[in-house]
Structures are given as structure tokens and as C-alpha cells.
Amino acid sequence: MAEGSRPSPLAFGQVVIGPPGSGKSTYCQAMREFLARLGRRVAVVNLDPANEAVPGPCALDVGELVTLPDVMASLGLGPNGGLLYCMEYLEANSDWLRERLRGLQGHYLLFDCPGQVELYTHHQALKNVFAQLAKWNFRLAAVHLVDSHYCTDPGKFISVLCTSLSTMLHVELPHVNVLSKMDLIEHYGKLAFNLDYYTEVLDLSYLVDHLASDPFFRNFRRLNEKLVEVIEDYSLVSFVPLNVQDKQSMRQVMQAVDKANGYSFGDREQRSLEALMSAAVGADFHFSSTLAVQEKYVQSQDKAVEEEVMDL
């Protein structure tokens, strides 16, 4: 067999996607440190040509190939068009990416991706890059981060659900949706329902009814009902809560991702039956993680009420 036709060794990793400000780079560095403590060889790959200040070690940076400021200056494009061009340029120069990734063989890879939503809902370039990685024997899961503060606004949460569903259908990778910054959720305002309502995406008709109490959204009830029907008909979207400061929360996200990309069932590490079973669990560990966050949230709300009473 010719050297060029030999299959690439099996590799695992995550493509970390989501809107701007959702915490993608912070997540990548926190997950890198967490997995390194468990004994995995981990490397972060920056695929965001607009990210000029990566908050931690980066083994490979797309900025070596193309940067957004250079594209905007040379082609006269704005930030959105320039970023799309950068991703198309990366797709066209996939050989560069493959050559650089060869130097990271044996590593579990965290791909820190751009924050432009169009890249994950309808633009083809980054989707094609992911497909190319799959052909190179990368077993990847998409980790879609969403800021948890959207839970406090029913209208925004419906938008988040639609975006998450569209991303899942377009990217075509095993998918884990994550509600990030859960340690800050008590600062965003009071939730209309318990936290598990949002993480498990339970009966959304209650959300539509809640929206109808707002005079503005009352005029769009029929539209909201139809959007909710689409989300529930696919029955794909759910969320794992994440607080990067909490080791248990990080472990639960890791287990969800390991199950999605098949890492748990590979032979890269020596694992016990208990570790395999814990990664194979479905909603149980989601529920326990959500319950822990919900308890903290309720406690913070009770404390706020007590302080208001004392002020009176």
C-alpha cells in the first residue's frame, strides 16, 4: 500500500461552536486543563481568524494561514464577509490544515471555532471542513455553547432553540448543546420555570402561554406556536448545564461529549467498567447536574428575597 493511501490514525476531539460571547475560548482552555489532569494528551486548535488573544496555550492557530484583519484590509470586506472568506480560504487550503494536524497525532483536539452564527446554520465552508476532518479519521462531536442568560427571556429562549436545531441539522455531527455560564444565572433574573424545564426542553406550550402575557408577544402567538411545533416535532434539542469553575459540571459535559463522539468506547485509555457505564448514561446524569445547579439558583433567589424583606 502506498504511503499516501494509508488511512490516518483514529483521533478524537470536539468542535466548539456557538455565538459570540458564549464562552468558547474559555471553555476550550478549561476543558484542556481538566482533561490534562485526567491524563489525556490535549491540544487546542484555534480556527477563529478573528481571535487575536487566545486565553491559553494553542497548539495550532489558523492565523498562521489567514487572519481577518488582513482579509478586510486587502479585499475591502467588512467583519462578517471577511470571516466567511477566511473560512472559504481555510476550506480551499485543507492540505495546510492536514499537514499541521499530523504534528498533533495522539492528541485529543479541541477546535475553537468562530462565533458567526451563519457558519453553522447555512454557510457551507466550515461544515465542509468538519466533513474533511471526518474523512481524515477524526471522530468529532460538536459542542454548541449558549449563554444561560437566554433562559430568563422566553422570547430569546425560543430563538436559541431554533438556532440550536438549525445548527444540529446543518453541521451534521454528533451534537451536545451546553448552557454556559451557569454560575452567573442567578444574576440574570428570575426564571419562569425550574431549570430542568430549559435543559430538557419540556412542554413548550407553557412557554408560549408565558409569552402571551407580554403585550408585545401576544400579537405573535400564532408564530410562536408554529416555531414551538417545529422544535418539538424534531425532538432533538436539549442542554447540559455548564459551570467551568465546577469540576463535577465539567465532568458531566465531558461524559456527554465522550458518549457523542465514541471516545468512551475506544481503546485510547485504560478504562474500568464503571467509567464506561457512567459515560453511557443518558438523562440520569443530566438530571443530577441540573438539580445541583437548580438548588444553588433557588438558594440565591431565597437569599435575595430575605434581603428585600430585611430592607423593608
Side-chain angles (χ1 to χ4, degrees):
M1 182 181 290
E3 184 177 350
S5 62
R6 290 177 182 172
S8 301
L10 191 63
F12 292 88
Q14 307 174 21
V15 292
V16 184
I17 61 179
S22 57
K24 296 183 295 297
S25 295
T26 301
Y27 169 85
C28 285
Q29 296 303 327
M31 185 58 73
R32 179 191 64 81
E33 294 175 3
F34 182 78
L35 294 178
R37 292 193 188 102
L38 297 180
R40 292 192 199 180
R41 297 177 64 195
V42 190
V44 175
V45 176
N46 178 41
L47 291 186
D48 185 359
N51 194 351
E52 298 178 346
V54 180
C58 183
L60 173 57
D61 189 352
V62 72
E64 300 172 14
L65 175 70
V66 62
T67 66
L68 181 59
D70 289 344
V71 168
M72 292 172 61
S74 60
L75 300 179
L77 295 173
N80 291 334
L83 191 54
L84 296 181
Y85 178 89
C86 289
M87 291 299 99
E88 292 170 356
Y89 191 80
L90 175 62
E91 179 190 2
N93 291 273
S94 59
D95 289 342
W96 173 87
L97 180 61
R98 185 175 194 181
E99 186 61 32
R100 297 303 305 274
L101 288 175
R102 280 176 176 160
L104 297 175
Q105 284 186 9
H107 286 75
Y108 184 97
L109 299 181
L110 300 170
F111 293 89
D112 188 358
C113 298
Q116 194 165 347
V117 176
E118 301 97 295
L119 292 171
Y120 314 115
T121 56
H122 58 273
H123 196 262
Q124 296 293 320
L126 203 52
K127 171 186 175 181
N128 293 339
V129 171
F130 296 157
Q132 191 63 57
L133 288 168
K135 292 179 181 178
W136 298 337
N137 238 0
F138 282 86
R139 298 295 178 261
L140 301 174
V143 179
H144 183 215
L145 298 184
V146 176
D147 198 316
S148 60
H149 85 266
Y150 290 118
C151 294
T152 61
D153 187 319
K156 290 180 180 178
F157 187 65
I158 289 180
S159 298
V160 163
L161 292 174
C162 291
T163 302
S164 299
L165 177 59
S166 179
T167 300
M168 294 176 76
L169 297 176
H170 180 73
V171 171
E172 296 180 349
L173 284 175
H175 211 92
V176 178
N177 292 303
V178 175
L179 283 177
S180 63
K181 306 179 185 177
M182 291 302 298
D183 52 318
L184 301 177
I185 192 170
E186 64 266 19
H187 302 298
Y188 295 141
K190 188 175 181 179
L191 298 179
F193 307 99
N194 285 338
L195 190 60
D196 61 336
Y197 177 88
Y198 300 93
T199 57
E200 301 302 325
V201 189
L202 302 176
D203 189 349
L204 294 178
S205 62
Y206 293 104
L207 203 62
V208 174
D209 292 338
H210 187 74
L211 275 171
S213 63
D214 188 313
F216 176 80
F217 287 107
R218 190 177 301 140
N219 297 326
F220 301 96
R221 182 183 180 99
R222 185 64 175 162
L223 172 62
N224 290 324
E225 287 175 347
K226 289 301 180 182
L227 290 174
V228 163
E229 284 181 15
V230 171
I231 296 165
E232 292 185 329
D233 285 347
Y234 277 96
S235 191
L236 291 175
V237 185
S238 63
F239 296 93
V240 181
L242 171 66
N243 171 10
V244 295
Q245 306 296 330
D246 182 20
K247 293 181 181 179
Q248 181 65 14
S249 177
M250 291 290 289
R251 174 177 174 269
Q252 286 154 351
V253 172
M254 177 200 72
Q255 288 177 330
V257 177
D258 282 355
K259 179 186 175 186
N261 64 16
Y263 183 88
S264 295
F265 306 99
D267 56 1
R268 306 290 298 193
E269 293 176 352
Q270 191 70 29
R271 297 177 183 83
S272 66
L273 178 61
E274 179 182 356
L276 285 174
M277 292 303 294
S278 65
V281 172
D284 289 346
F285 71 81
H286 286 200
F287 175 77
S288 62
S289 63
T290 303
L291 185 61
V293 176
Q294 176 70 26
E295 288 177 352
K296 293 179 181 178
Y297 175 79
V298 170
Q299 289 173 0
S300 67
Q301 291 294 314
D302 290 343
K303 183 178 180 181
V305 171
E306 289 177 1
E307 290 176 352
E308 290 179 1
V309 172
M310 292 297 293
D311 291 339
L312 293 175

